[in-house]
Amino acid sequence: MFGKKKSEKEEWKVKRVVKNAMYDASVFIHQKVFSRLRKNRRGTMKKAKLKDRLFIWCMLAIPLTMFCVFYIGVNFNSILLAFKEYDSLTGGYKWAEFSQFKLFFDTIANEPFMKYAIRNSAIYFSVSLFVLLPIQVMNAYYVYKKRFLGKFFKVMLFMPSILSTVVLVTIFRFFATSGLPDICKALGIKVPDSVFGLKHGMTTMIVYTIWQGFGGSIILFVGTMTRIPTSVVEAAQIDGITPLKEFFSITLPLVFPTVMVYIVSTVSGFFTLQGPLFTFYGKEAYKEHYTFGYYYFVSILGDAGVKNYPMASAAGLLFTVIIAPITLGLRKFFNKICPPVDF
């Protein structure tokens, strides 16, 4: 009897030792296997992150290169050119300190066409800001409200922005030289001698600018208006609001940040406005029709324009010094009176 109990006790000890050994073995195997899996997973994750980063940098390489070369490089070189002058003997540029800035002020003070450039630049600026902007916003509002033929007008008004400038100029020139005289004769109105001549050319350019830019920003404004919450509009309509009052009380305040961007960009481009002068006249526009943008643009064209690069660079630097504080101040003013609205 005692022998039987002793054997059972020994058997229980053996089972316990085997069980503990099996447990230790399973723990050892688990640690070894899963440590390798963790290492492999970490390596896989590192490779995935490396591939992701490599893909991102490859996608950014081209735009970053373009930005560095064609923006930073070009603008830095333009700043340097403002302090140089063309050397006809060597065909290069040499340092000339502030001579190009002196030449700029002399041109402004002594050249008769500069008074026309100032006047015409102000005219194009006023047309863009006080004529085209209200028309574009009202057209966008008409399309946004889905009035009669709204989709048709949306396409037709945006069409001039899609078509090539050469096509638009050809159409407008044909109408002005062939269609307009016939219309004037039919109405008993005296036909102008030449709508592209010295007397009527500036008026023709303004008319073309308005026609071409009639629906230029309609997609931008319509896209902003469609983001206005319908609950706000429906609540106002329940209260009996009229479409006109809805425009001035709801739509315009909510889309004003977009309008502000248009205004600020127009102000910042005051000295680069040239209208359609080059597309109609090339380099042969009348000096009475000049703008700042057109004058400095045609002055650097062709082989002869190489010597004018420093003058144009100095003018651009001065224009930036003048217009940058105005633009930033205007933006700050608009943000203060009409803070951005999230909806």
Side-chain angles (χ1 to χ4, degrees), residues 125 263-271 318-334:
F125 171 79
I263 296 173
V264 171
S265 61
T266 303
V267 172
S268 64
F270 178 85
F271 291 110
L318 287 172
F319 290 154
T320 302
V321 171
I322 295 171
I323 208 68
I326 297 175
T327 303
L328 295 175
L330 188 64
R331 181 175 178 272
K332 186 176 181 180
F333 170 74
F334 280 134

Side-chain angles (χ1 to χ4, degrees), residues 219-241:
I219 300 296
L220 177 65
F221 289 128
V222 170
T224 306
M225 291 177 184
T226 52
R227 294 179 57 246
I228 297 176
T230 55
S231 57
V232 176
V233 179
E234 290 173 354
Q237 290 174 347
I238 292 174
D239 292 335
I241 194 171

